[in-house]
């Protein structure tokens, strides 16, 4: 599992110097059980099951502040995305199903929101 | 000057103003935006995993068509711009992605990332120039206090987007000055609006966007501008009482240049 995450994300978690800037900058901090710096550390330590079981990754907005501010170029968002992608690929159902969005289709919702959400929350 | 033009799905439906005024204003500066034939949706989010190839195909098709015509590719929507520019960078820098995508698409007509992708704001700044825009303004916005909202996708990651200072951008401020408005300086102009997470947790996305709009209002903003339909949606959906209007930057440009038609829908 760890090797697969490292392969598809292209991230080297050993570059992390644990400064915590990623987590300090993260706009989804309050909603995450595991924060960006913990994704880096836990993937490195092969402590991946808790990440898969947590819902933290669904709150990542891919805003890339963690990546921009990392002084070591670690790209924590890629690890969060990799965990999410592996979970979706392994699971039997999608997190977001077409029937789920019917009641969210308010007249002003842009297509972009639907496209992005289906890419992020389904296979 | 002729450019290839990629509108994107939302600009054909909910964000027609973003598209129409971009085209109308380009004509004033003798710029022809030639729409990519049979363009496909960019996917809305950048597929960041190294083994995702199918999700990179539609940007490459658009990029290659522009490349075949030896034209730069102009985008307007922040998300399309982000996805297309980053996929282009992947094709340029990753031998494996380049090889596999070309093998799938059309091996005899390989694409190697040669097309230049420019956002409409960059077109205004770097190709037309804000001074020339200022000269063409017929109805200046008379010092209206407007907050520029950048969001994430145009700015980050800087090493690929190379758009503006990711921590303190100024291109929208320069744009606002050129059309006679007064840019409002506030703290959260490059914070995330909540993005697609509105589909996962609407309340949380509203919380993100309401704090951004409040920060702008605290500094006296009467309205905000954005280049992104999803940012606009989240800001308008923030649940703030007495929230301020959010406009596409192209709409205000059209107003200033005197090419805006009567109000009508989206």
């Amino acid at each position: 599992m760890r090797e697969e995450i490292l392969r598809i994300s292209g991230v080297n978690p050993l570059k992390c110097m644990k400064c915590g800037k990623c987590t300090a900058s993260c706009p989804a901090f309050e909603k995450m059980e595991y924060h960006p710096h913990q994704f880096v550390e836990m993937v490195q330590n092969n402590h991946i099951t808790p990440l898969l079981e947590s819902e933290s990754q669904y709150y990542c907005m891919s805003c890339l502040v963690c990546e921009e501010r990392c002084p070591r170029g670690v790209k924590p968002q890629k690890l969060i995305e990799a965990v999410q992608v592996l979970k979706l690929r392994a699971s039997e159902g999608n997190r977001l199903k077409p029937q789920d969005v019917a009641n969210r289709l308010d007249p002003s919702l842009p297509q972009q929101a639907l496209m992005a959400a289906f890419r992020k929350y389904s296979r | 000057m002729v450019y290839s033009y990629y509108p994107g799905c939302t600009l054909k439906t909910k964000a027609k103003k973003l598209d129409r005024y971009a085209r109308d204003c380009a004509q004033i500066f003798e710029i022809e935006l030639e729409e990519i034939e049979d363009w496909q949706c960019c996917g809305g989010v950048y597929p960041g995993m190294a083994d995702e190839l199918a999700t990179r195909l539609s940007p490459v098709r658009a990029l290659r068509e522009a490349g075949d015509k030896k034209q730069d590719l102009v985008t307007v929507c922040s998300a399309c711009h982000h996805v297309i520019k980053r996929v282009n960078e992947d094709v340029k820098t990753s031998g494996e992605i380049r090889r596999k995508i070309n093998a799938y698409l059309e091996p005899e007509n390989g694409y190697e990332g040669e097309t230049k992708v420019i956002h409409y704001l960059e077109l205004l700044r770097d190709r037309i120039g804000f001074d020339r825009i200022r000269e063409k303004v017929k109805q200046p916005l008379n010092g209206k206090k407007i907050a520029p909202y950048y969001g994430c996708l145009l700015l980050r990651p800087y090493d690929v987007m190379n758009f503006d200072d990711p921590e303190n951008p100024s291109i929208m401020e320069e744009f606002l000055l050129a059309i006679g408005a007064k840019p409002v300086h506030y703290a959260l102009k490059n914070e995330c609006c909540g993005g697609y997470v509105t589909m996962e947790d609407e309340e949380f996305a509203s919380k993100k966007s309401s704090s951004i709009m409040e920060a702008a209002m605290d500094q006296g903003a009467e309205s905000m501008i954005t280049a992104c339909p999803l940012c606009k949606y989240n800001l308008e959906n923030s649940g703030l009482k007495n929230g301020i209007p959010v406009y596409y930057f192209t709409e205000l440009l059209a107003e200033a240049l005197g090419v805006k038609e009567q109000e009508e829908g989206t």
Side-chain angles (χ1 to χ4, degrees):
Chain A
M1 186 74 93
R2 180 177 174 278
E3 296 318 307
E4 181 72 353
I5 288 176
L6 297 184
R7 185 184 69 81
I8 63 174
S9 69
V11 169
N12 176 8
L14 282 174
K15 290 202 292 188
C16 174
M17 61 183 190
K18 304 186 196 298
C19 71
K21 259 191 181 176
C22 51
T23 292
S25 303
C26 180
F29 176 88
E30 68 194 78
K31 287 285 186 182
M32 287 178 156
E33 180 184 0
Y34 299 108
H35 300 108
H37 77 285
Q38 290 167 297
F39 272 82
V40 179
E41 185 177 20
M42 289 164 78
V43 169
Q44 170 56 24
N45 294 332
N46 209 6
H47 197 44
I48 291 161
T49 310
L51 293 178
L52 289 167
E53 286 170 357
S54 150
E55 304 233 312
S56 301
Q57 65 263 29
Y58 301 124
Y59 277 94
C60 172
M61 303 178 277
S62 308
C63 78
L64 301 172
V65 165
C66 55
E67 174 173 333
E68 192 63 55
R69 294 189 181 157
C70 176
R72 300 279 296 153
V74 175
K75 304 184 179 176
Q77 181 270 338
K78 288 223 177 215
L79 285 182
I80 298 172
E81 187 175 337
V83 168
Q84 187 168 347
V85 162
L86 281 199
K87 187 168 173 179
L88 281 168
R89 286 179 185 175
S91 64
E92 290 180 9
N94 290 323
R95 183 168 179 86
L96 181 69
K97 300 177 189 70
Q99 57 268 36
D100 299 335
V101 302
N103 57 359
R104 274 289 280 117
L105 291 177
D106 68 74
S108 54
L109 187 75
Q111 281 67 19
Q112 182 193 350
L114 293 171
M115 272 312 298
F118 276 111
R119 279 277 167 91
K120 282 287 175 180
Y121 301 128
S122 65
R123 280 175 291 173
Chain B
M1 184 89 184
V2 185
Y3 291 87
S4 281
Y5 176 63
Y6 182 96
C9 58
T10 310
L11 275 74
K12 290 287 183 182
T13 48
K14 306 280 182 188
K16 286 181 182 160
K17 283 181 184 174
L18 186 55
D19 173 56
R20 184 173 68 239
Y21 294 134
R23 294 176 197 253
D24 292 350
C25 295
Q27 284 177 4
I28 303 242
F29 301 102
E30 283 145 14
I31 282 174
E32 195 183 324
L33 297 177
E34 203 171 276
E35 187 168 335
I36 294 280
E37 211 176 309
D38 301 327
W39 57 266
Q40 299 163 321
C41 172
C42 73
V45 286
Y46 168 67
M49 299 298 101
D51 62 351
E52 290 178 282
L53 293 169
T55 40
R56 285 179 165 94
L57 291 176
S58 75
V60 174
R61 289 192 175 109
L63 286 159
R64 200 185 52 187
E65 187 179 317
D68 286 348
K69 294 195 221 159
K70 306 246 182 301
Q71 292 171 355
D72 293 341
L73 180 60
V74 173
T75 56
V76 193
C77 166
S78 304
C80 299
H81 182 69
H82 181 92
V83 173
I84 293 172
K85 189 147 187 176
R86 292 191 75 187
V87 168
N88 200 35
E89 185 71 10
D90 292 339
V91 174
K92 227 187 283 183
T93 56
S94 161
E96 192 182 343
I97 287 176
R98 181 167 63 241
R99 185 172 52 76
K100 286 185 174 165
I101 281 187
N102 277 314
Y104 178 81
L105 278 179
E106 203 178 336
E108 63 277 10
N109 177 16
Y111 178 72
E112 303 194 333
E114 54 270 20
T115 300
K116 201 163 180 344
V117 187
I118 52 176
H119 187 265
Y120 197 90
L121 279 165
E122 293 174 304
L123 184 77
L124 297 178
R125 178 187 62 190
D126 305 331
R127 306 293 171 93
I128 296 170
F130 287 131
D131 285 341
R132 231 180 109 205
I133 293 170
R134 204 171 274 120
E135 287 165 15
K136 294 274 185 189
V137 166
K138 285 187 181 152
Q139 294 162 3
L141 273 80
N142 287 334
K144 275 187 192 154
K145 290 174 163 178
I146 301 174
Y149 177 61
Y150 293 84
C152 317
L153 298 170
L154 290 174
L155 299 171
R156 297 185 284 267
Y158 175 75
D159 61 1
V160 180
M161 301 314 293
N162 199 12
F163 178 81
D164 203 343
D165 181 336
E167 298 294 356
N168 190 19
S170 57
I171 184 171
M172 283 191 184
E173 281 87 340
E174 290 166 40
F175 164 74
L176 287 168
L177 286 170
I179 59 171
K182 188 171 188 301
V184 171
H185 300 283
Y186 68 112
L188 303 180
K189 65 184 180 181
N190 60 346
E191 277 282 321
C192 182
C193 69
Y196 54 79
V197 170
T198 185
M199 299 298 292
E200 167 80 14
D201 185 339
E202 193 178 0
E203 199 181 318
F204 178 63
S206 296
K207 195 176 164 192
K208 291 285 112 188
S209 45
S210 60
S211 61
I212 293 164
M213 190 178 272
E214 269 178 338
M217 288 163 69
D218 283 350
Q219 299 305 318
E222 297 157 354
S223 63
M224 302 178 78
I225 54 163
T226 175
C228 178
L230 185 49
C231 293
K232 185 172 190 281
Y233 173 80
N234 278 333
L235 288 166
E236 289 173 341
N237 204 29
S238 70
L240 268 190
K241 284 181 195 143
N242 313 318
I244 51 179
V246 184
Y247 301 110
Y248 291 121
F249 73 100
T250 54
E251 190 179 348
L252 296 194
L253 177 62
E255 195 179 319
L257 295 175
V259 296
K260 191 175 164 183
E261 300 153 18
Q262 293 296 311
E263 271 305 293
E264 44 171 307
T266 53

